[in-house]
Amino acid sequence: QVQLVESGGGLVQAGGSLRLSCATSGSIFSINTMGWYRQAPGKQRELVATSTAGGTINYADSVKGRFTISREDGENTVYLLMNSLKPEDTAVYYCRFRNVYGDYWGRGTQVTVSS
């Protein structure tokens, strides 16, 4: 069974940086879209950034210019480099992989940005 495992979350001061990673624990083939989502307390889960196999990258307006998504297809790994973090970036961050066979989510990693 495919599982996604996020890492790299933690507590950081405003203006700091974190790098999240997401890797699979099982075999998954032909991943089309890799992405990051987040959910803050009391809010709906929202898209942060996505990257398609064709090279299309999409960011939420709130993170453009501060966050960078990257992927290593050979390793089935996706990263999210987060710079200039703000308290409003505090949330649980989830990775998501999609291919023709399914839609896979990680369990999330907490990111807390203190002011």
Side-chain angles (χ1 to χ4, degrees), residues 1-5 23-28 103-105 107:
Q1 182 176 355
V2 173
Q3 290 185 335
L4 306 186
V5 180
T24 61
S25 62
S27 297
I28 182 170
D103 191 350
Y104 309 92
W105 289 86
R107 293 187 175 184

Side-chain angles (χ1 to χ4, degrees), residues 8 11-19 66 81-85:
L11 173 63
V12 64
Q13 288 188 335
S17 298
L18 284 173
R19 186 187 190 220
R66 300 188 298 121
L81 176 60
M82 305 184 294
N83 294 323
S84 302
L85 282 162

Side-chain angles (χ1 to χ4, degrees), residues 35-75:
W36 290 95
Y37 293 72
R38 68 186 181 186
Q39 187 166 17
K43 295 187 177 181
Q44 290 188 332
R45 191 172 298 187
E46 63 177 3
L47 180 149
V48 175
T50 58
S51 172
T52 72
T56 300
I57 292 178
N58 184 43
Y59 293 101
D61 288 342
S62 59
V63 306
K64 282 180 181 177
R66 300 188 298 121
F67 290 11
T68 302
I69 188 172
S70 59
R71 56 192 282 170
E72 291 186 17
D73 289 277
E75 299 294 328

